[in-house]
């Protein structure tokens, strides 16, 4: 569990926090195997015996004052009785202390059925279940890509998993692959359906026939995939609703299909399976039955190019309600849209975000990395059935929380996460309680994150037991991970600045920008620029850079944070956000679905990766085997550099650029066994998505792909900064704004 604070030293009072202007919060990556310093948790069993505060329900930790028969909660300070068995365990005899007495970061095994705080009842099957839902109102190229992706998925899935195959168009197809040949049974979707079919899927095909064990049925699953064909025009015509005066050539009953599928996988008593994951593949917008979306030209134009106020808001609550059903059923939905057609992902994203899934967008089948992405996603460790809660000491509280979770309807700040991998990050913004502060006499600030989760672990080798099915290879482990952190405080603004983590500040800013831009893009742009101006003004006030008299105040304003290296990236971060598609929806060439995809991607990244996506890293090389330097600036000055090779890492893109002056003796592209290629391979391996790799020879190739990331020379939206011609001009505008407010 990695926890990074935007202010590693907390402000002593609200006035100091307001004076510094920096967001105060943390970014939490709960399923990370280590903390932010690389340390692993203390592990053990008997997590259910971990004492809890009777007042705030926080867990006992190493930071709690402990007496023989009582302990004081580190979070709220309340005194609690210590049961006799706990007192015996904490007696510290012979150096055999339990994990919570050795570390403030613990990961403990829980016994079965240890559920509380809104958790679902534990009676689910331990077998992981995966279902592919495939859009048949598509092209041959789309289906070939999806088949390749599912073949990759079958290779990544653990033995013992169950797999189901469903197709949808104007009808839903269920595949039984457990017999000698694959069988498909179809049920038609009524065009005026409210989400219900005339017959339950269980009556069409029992769930035990639909879900096939991968171990024994992988070949027949492959055979079934090969039989899938796109819906032909004559079939559409034959199935068209009577009375229609035209034929829908692309009929997608996506909403109904997902609704009945989630019900199919659920149980009236709670979760039918501990892990159920749906891979939904879409080639266009849902336009049939319940959950259909309006993608008319007027609607599209309004979303894509509203003049000043861009409203990327969902059209219907159908998918919001469907996400609630998915969370209750323990079903995670991953949405893969392979299309350049307007699909209104804004309305669909809630289904994947709140169910703990991911949203992917590929504009074409030719350059899609779908097979690699789905293989990466399924190959890395992940937890499921997660519940997380962050508690704070009494002087401050959570103001906002951000991330892909479902808030518990009953318990405040309890968040349900159906699926979570080691990259997924959640952010929290803090504020002081009314009339509160940290004083020398008060206890230091404490936060405690509790994260309950389930993992599937192998149950050893069952080869000696021929009658034991593949499902017995797995055991469910319910675990509790608790981390308690104590922070220092300061009444000195210079200390606050020195302990700023710019990557976490960027993380909180991006979350705030995404939420605000859903209502008003222009206002968000103005707010972001004003925020930077306030931070620069407060910084200059703290360092007394602004002098009075003679009207020369603005020329003494330090907009580069020269005295504080921790603040120096902030101006570039803000400039890059203003230029990013997040705040350029009204611009020509920015597809609203791409903006939605970007929102979903960026809002789940841990701080270091998010920084990479917002402000790419540019590294120059003297040769393919010699790294020269890491460049802080992203401008066209690289074209005048003596370095012949550059590697630009923009998180989802990796670009290797050879300058026009590079010697012809330097091999292009770089050889497989050189340092540059090794670095590229390492970055691709470490990333949770598959970055697009592009090699550009400046003397011969189009350099537009590379130049678009040289943001310091780009122009901001004229409606906001009409005189801006780049980053330096942007800083001049900010300097003027600070001077105006300082007069």
């Amino acid at each position: 569990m990695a926890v990074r604070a935007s202010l590693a030293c907390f402000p002593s009072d609200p006035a100091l926090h307001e004076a510094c202007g920096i967001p105060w919060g943390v970014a939490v990556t709960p399923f990370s195997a280590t903390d932010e310093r690389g340390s692993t948790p203390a592990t053990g069993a008997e997590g259910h015996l971990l004492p809890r505060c009777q007042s705030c329900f926080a867990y006992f930790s190493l930071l709690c004052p402990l007496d023989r028969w009582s302990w004081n909660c580190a979070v709220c300070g309340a005194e609690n009785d210590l049961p006799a068995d706990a007192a015996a365990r904490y007696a510290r005899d012979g150096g055999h202390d339990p994990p919570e007495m050795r570390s403030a970061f613990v990961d403990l095994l829980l016994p079965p059925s240890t559920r509380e705080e809104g958790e679902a009842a534990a009676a689910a099957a331990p077998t992981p279940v995966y279902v592919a839902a495939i859009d048949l109102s598509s092209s041959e190229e789309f289906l070939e890509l999806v088949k390749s992706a599912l073949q990759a998925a079958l290779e990544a899935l653990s033995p013992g998993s169950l797999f189901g195959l469903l197709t949808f168009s104007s009808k839903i197809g269920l595949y039984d692959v457990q017999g000698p040949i694959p069988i498909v049974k179809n049920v038609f979707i009524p065009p005026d359906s409210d989400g219900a079919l005339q017959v339950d899927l269980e009556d069409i095909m029992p769930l035990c026939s639909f879900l096939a064990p991968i171990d024994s049925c992988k070949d027949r699953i492959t055979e079934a995939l090969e039989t899938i064909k796109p819906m032909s025009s004559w079939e559409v015509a034959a199935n068209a609703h009577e009375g229609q005066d035209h034929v829908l050539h692309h009929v997608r009953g996506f909403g109904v299909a997902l609704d009945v599928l989630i019900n199919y996988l659920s149980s009236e008593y709670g979760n039918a399976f501990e892990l159920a994951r749906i891979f939904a593949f879409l080639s266009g917008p849902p336009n049939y039955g319940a959950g259909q979306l309006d993608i008319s030209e007027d609607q599209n134009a309004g979303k894509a190019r509203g003049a000043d106020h861009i409203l990327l808001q969902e059209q219907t609550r159908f998918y919001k309600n469907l996400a609630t059903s998915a969370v209750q059923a323990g079903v995670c939905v991953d949405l893969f849209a392979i299309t350049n057609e307007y699909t209104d992902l804004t309305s669909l994203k809630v289904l994947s975000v709140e169910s703990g899934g991911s949203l992917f967008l590929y504009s074409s089948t030719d350059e899609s990395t779908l097979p690699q992405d789905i293989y990466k996603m399924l190959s890395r460790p992940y937890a499921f059935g997660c519940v997380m809660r962050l508690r704070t000491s009494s002087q401050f509280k959570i103001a906002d929380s951000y991330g892909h979770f479902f808030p518990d309807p009953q318990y405040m700040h309890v968040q349900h996460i159906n699926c979570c991998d080691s990259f997924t990050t959640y952010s929290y913004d803090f504020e002081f309680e009314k009339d509160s502060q940290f004083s020398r006499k008060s206890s230091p600030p404490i936060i405690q994150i509790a994260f309950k989760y389930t993992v599937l672990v192998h149950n050893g080798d069952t080869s000696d037991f021929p009658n034991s099915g593949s499902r017995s290879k797995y055991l469910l482990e319910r675990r509790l991970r608790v981390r308690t952190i104590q922070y220092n405080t300061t009444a000195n603004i210079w200390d606050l600045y020195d302990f700023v983590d710019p990557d976490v500040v960027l993380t909180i800013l991006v979350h705030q920008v995404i939420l605000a831009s859903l209502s008003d893009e222009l206002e968000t742009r103005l707010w972001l620029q004003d925020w930077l101006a306030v931070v620069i003004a407060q910084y200059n006030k703290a360092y007394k850079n602004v002098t009075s008299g003679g009207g020369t105040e603005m020329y003494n304003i330090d907009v580069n944070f020269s005295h504080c290296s921790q603040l120096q990236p902030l101006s570039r971060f803000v400039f890059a956000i203003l230029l990013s598609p997040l705040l350029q929806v009204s611009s020509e060439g920015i597809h609203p679905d791409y903006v939605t995809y970007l929102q979903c991607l960026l809002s789940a990244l841990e701080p270091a990766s998010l920084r990479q996506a917002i402000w790419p890293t540019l590294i120059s090389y003297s040769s393919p085997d010699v790294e020269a330097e890491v460049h802080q600036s992203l401008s066209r000055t690289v074209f005048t550099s003596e370095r012949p090779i550059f590697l630009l890492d923009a998180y989802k893109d990796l670009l290797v650029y050879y300058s026009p002056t590079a010697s012809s003796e330097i091999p292009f592209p770089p050889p497989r066994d050189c340092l540059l290629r090794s670095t590229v391979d390492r970055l691709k391996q470490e990333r949770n998505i598959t970055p697009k790799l592009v090699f550009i020879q400046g003397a011969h190739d189009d350099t537009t792909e590379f130049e678009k990331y040289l943001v310091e020379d780009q122009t901001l939206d004229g409606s906001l900064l009409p005189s801006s011609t780049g980053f330096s001009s942007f800083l001049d505008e900010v300097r003027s704004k600070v001077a105006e407010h300082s007069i």
Side-chain angles (χ1 to χ4, degrees), residues 293 299 303 310-316 319-320 335 342-353 359 518 585 591-597 599-600:
L293 301 174
Q299 178 80 3
K303 280 180 173 277
I310 303 302
L311 300 177
L312 288 179
Q313 297 178 343
E314 57 191 48
Q315 295 185 37
T316 171
Y319 294 100
K320 174 77 172 177
L335 181 59
Y342 176 64
T343 304
D344 192 10
L345 293 183
T346 298
S347 296
L348 299 175
K349 70 176 181 181
V350 65
L351 181 56
S352 61
V353 167
L359 186 149
L518 296 177
V585 184
H591 200 293
D593 282 341
Y594 178 73
V595 176
T596 301
Y597 158 71
Q599 292 171 349
C600 293

Side-chain angles (χ1 to χ4, degrees), residues 269-346:
Y269 304 107
N271 298 10
F273 301 94
E274 279 289 346
L275 171 61
R277 197 162 186 174
I278 297 174
F279 309 134
F281 300 95
L282 262 179
S283 67
N287 57 7
Y288 189 76
Q292 60 182 296
L293 301 174
D294 179 8
I295 44 87
S296 63
E297 291 185 3
D298 292 340
Q299 178 80 3
N300 191 355
K303 280 180 173 277
R305 297 181 183 87
D308 293 329
H309 302 282
I310 303 302
L311 300 177
L312 288 179
Q313 297 178 343
E314 57 191 48
Q315 295 185 37
T316 171
R317 289 191 59 83
F318 178 87
Y319 294 100
K320 174 77 172 177
N321 297 334
L322 193 54
T324 302
S325 300
V327 172
Q328 293 170 347
V331 176
C332 168
V333 181
D334 298 297
L335 181 59
F336 303 89
I338 307 103
T339 178
N340 59 3
E341 182 182 359
Y342 176 64
T343 304
D344 192 10
L345 293 183
T346 298

Side-chain angles (χ1 to χ4, degrees), residues 23-141:
W24 173 30
V26 292
V28 181
T29 311
F31 196 54
S32 172
T34 65
D35 66 14
E36 63 280 2
R37 296 181 179 87
S39 301
T40 56
T43 59
E46 300 181 333
H48 62 295
L49 298 180
L50 190 63
R52 299 191 68 175
C53 177
Q54 297 177 354
S55 177
C56 71
F57 300 102
Y59 291 90
F60 175 84
S61 80
L62 186 63
L63 300 181
C64 296
L66 177 65
D67 292 325
R68 183 69 180 90
W69 298 107
S70 66
W71 61 281
N72 291 86
C73 177
V75 176
C76 72
E79 184 176 3
N80 296 271
D81 293 333
L82 194 65
D85 58 343
R89 287 194 304 124
Y90 298 154
R92 306 190 182 196
D93 53 340
H96 298 291
D97 291 333
E100 62 268 27
M101 295 297 290
R102 303 195 306 268
S103 173
F105 178 23
V106 298
D107 191 290
L108 308 173
L109 182 66
L110 294 170
S113 303
T114 305
R115 305 267 177 159
E116 54 193 62
E117 287 188 338
E119 297 180 68
T127 311
V129 168
Y130 305 89
V131 177
I134 304 174
D135 179 4
L136 292 189
S137 297
S138 57
S139 64
E140 289 279 4
E141 293 78 13

Side-chain angles (χ1 to χ4, degrees), residues 28-32 275 277 332 334 355-358 377 380-388 404-405 416-426 451-455 481 604:
V28 181
T29 311
F31 196 54
S32 172
L275 171 61
R277 197 162 186 174
C332 168
D334 298 297
S355 71
S358 300
M377 182 178 72
R380 57 182 177 260
Y382 50 87
F384 47 92
C386 314
V387 181
M388 183 165 66
H404 296 188
F405 57 75
H416 296 268
I417 306 164
N418 274 6
C419 193
C420 173
D421 64 28
S422 56
F423 294 92
T424 311
T425 298
Y426 308 88
F451 180 64
K452 284 184 179 178
Y453 65 97
T454 300
V455 289
R481 184 173 289 187

Side-chain angles (χ1 to χ4, degrees), residues 606-686:
E606 51 90 23
S609 296
L610 182 59
R611 175 177 182 153
Q612 208 75 45
I614 296 294
W615 191 267
T617 298
L618 183 63
I619 306 173
S620 61
Y621 286 77
S622 301
S623 72
D625 278 309
V626 180
E627 180 180 320
E629 63 177 312
V630 178
H631 298 259
Q632 299 301 318
S633 176
L634 293 175
S635 70
R636 288 182 175 84
T637 56
V638 299
F639 293 127
T640 62
S641 171
E642 296 179 356
R643 311 298 183 190
I645 308 173
F646 294 87
L647 170 62
L648 190 143
D649 180 3
Y651 187 73
K652 56 188 183 62
D653 290 324
L654 290 171
L655 293 91
V656 177
Y657 172 78
Y658 278 46
S659 73
T661 58
S663 170
S664 58
E665 296 179 359
I666 300 178
F668 178 88
R672 297 294 311 177
D673 58 349
C674 69
L675 173 64
L676 176 54
R677 272 300 186 107
S678 298
T679 302
V680 168
D681 292 341
R682 175 179 56 81
L683 292 173
K684 291 174 65 177
Q685 183 67 30
E686 293 173 350

Side-chain angles (χ1 to χ4, degrees), residues 530-569:
D530 286 343
W531 173 83
L532 179 62
V534 168
V535 171
I536 291 175
Q538 297 297 81
Y539 160 83
N540 279 271
K541 182 178 179 181
Y543 283 93
K544 297 181 173 59
N545 288 326
V546 180
T547 58
S548 59
T552 61
E553 290 88 348
M554 69 173 290
Y555 299 104
N556 296 308
I557 296 172
D558 178 8
V559 295
N560 297 309
F561 302 104
S562 303
H563 299 289
C564 183
S565 60
Q566 296 303 103
L567 298 180
Q568 287 173 8

Side-chain angles (χ1 to χ4, degrees), residues 209-326:
S209 299
F210 176 68
L211 297 176
I214 288 179
D215 298 36
S216 57
C217 297
K218 183 181 291 186
D219 291 342
R220 274 167 288 183
I221 294 172
T222 300
E223 292 175 15
L225 288 173
E226 292 304 318
T227 66
I228 296 178
K229 304 294 180 186
M231 191 177 187
S232 60
S233 57
W234 66 266
E235 190 175 5
V236 175
N239 297 330
H241 182 53
E242 292 183 6
Q244 289 184 333
D245 56 3
H246 67 281
V247 175
L248 294 174
H249 291 284
H250 299 286
V251 181
R252 296 182 190 90
F254 174 75
V256 177
L258 267 289
D259 190 6
V260 297
L261 177 56
I262 290 170
N263 290 330
Y264 195 27
L265 297 174
S266 65
S267 163
E268 61 180 313
Y269 304 107
N271 298 10
F273 301 94
E274 279 289 346
L275 171 61
R277 197 162 186 174
I278 297 174
F279 309 134
F281 300 95
L282 262 179
S283 67
N287 57 7
Y288 189 76
Q292 60 182 296
L293 301 174
D294 179 8
I295 44 87
S296 63
E297 291 185 3
D298 292 340
Q299 178 80 3
N300 191 355
K303 280 180 173 277
R305 297 181 183 87
D308 293 329
H309 302 282
I310 303 302
L311 300 177
L312 288 179
Q313 297 178 343
E314 57 191 48
Q315 295 185 37
T316 171
R317 289 191 59 83
F318 178 87
Y319 294 100
K320 174 77 172 177
N321 297 334
L322 193 54
T324 302
S325 300

